[in-house]
Amino acid sequence: MLDINLIKNILIVSIATSIITTAFVQKVKETIKFKKSNRLVFVSFIVSMILGPLFSLSFSNVSIINSLWVGLISFLGADMLYKMFEEKVFTPFSKIYEDGTIEIPKENEIR
């Protein structure tokens, strides 16, 4: 029988780890200019498999084996989260520095 609560806990920790992993890989990407995208994927995998288990062992009560699952799921989820929020949260630096201005859409305007 599946332990639904365990799966739910692993997914929740993976979501939090994915956000941290995405931010960390974004900083690495800004610092190091990768000529091939497969190297960036490899770096992202390594970062996820290090930060995922460390985060889950530090801030949850899951075992080491389940922490490795957190790392793998955060690797898969980090890419999905980045693509989902790429234009909304993670603004590419090329767009920021094109003309020195940032446009705010009308729907995000504060009144």
Side-chain angles (χ1 to χ4, degrees):
M1 189 68 157
L2 286 174
D3 188 355
I4 300 298
N5 286 330
L6 178 63
I7 293 172
K8 184 174 67 171
N9 290 339
I10 288 173
L11 288 175
I12 290 170
V13 174
S14 296
I15 290 170
T17 306
S18 292
I19 295 168
I20 295 167
T21 301
T22 303
F24 191 82
V25 170
Q26 183 73 14
K27 291 293 183 187
V28 169
K29 188 170 75 172
E30 293 167 10
T31 306
I32 302 170
K33 304 295 182 204
F34 290 98
K35 297 191 189 286
K36 295 184 179 182
S37 63
N38 62 349
R39 290 184 181 165
L40 184 61
V41 170
F42 182 69
V43 168
S44 177
F45 178 75
I46 297 298
V47 167
S48 295
M49 292 308 289
I50 291 172
L51 286 181
L54 285 176
F55 184 84
S56 63
L57 289 172
S58 298
F59 299 108
S60 71
N61 58 355
V62 297
S63 68
I64 293 174
I65 298 295
N66 293 335
S67 294
L68 291 174
W69 280 107
V70 167
L72 181 64
I73 294 170
S74 70
F75 168 69
L76 299 172
D79 184 49
M80 180 197 63
L81 283 173
Y82 181 79
K83 287 178 182 174
M84 191 167 60
F85 293 120
E86 185 173 19
E87 294 297 322
K88 297 173 184 79
V89 177
F90 302 114
T91 305
F93 282 105
S94 60
K95 285 190 176 183
I96 292 174
Y97 293 115
E98 278 178 356
D99 59 358
T101 60
I102 299 174
E103 293 184 38
I104 300 173
K106 284 283 189 193
E107 61 268 6
N108 293 344
E109 186 175 63
I110 300 173
R111 295 178 191 243

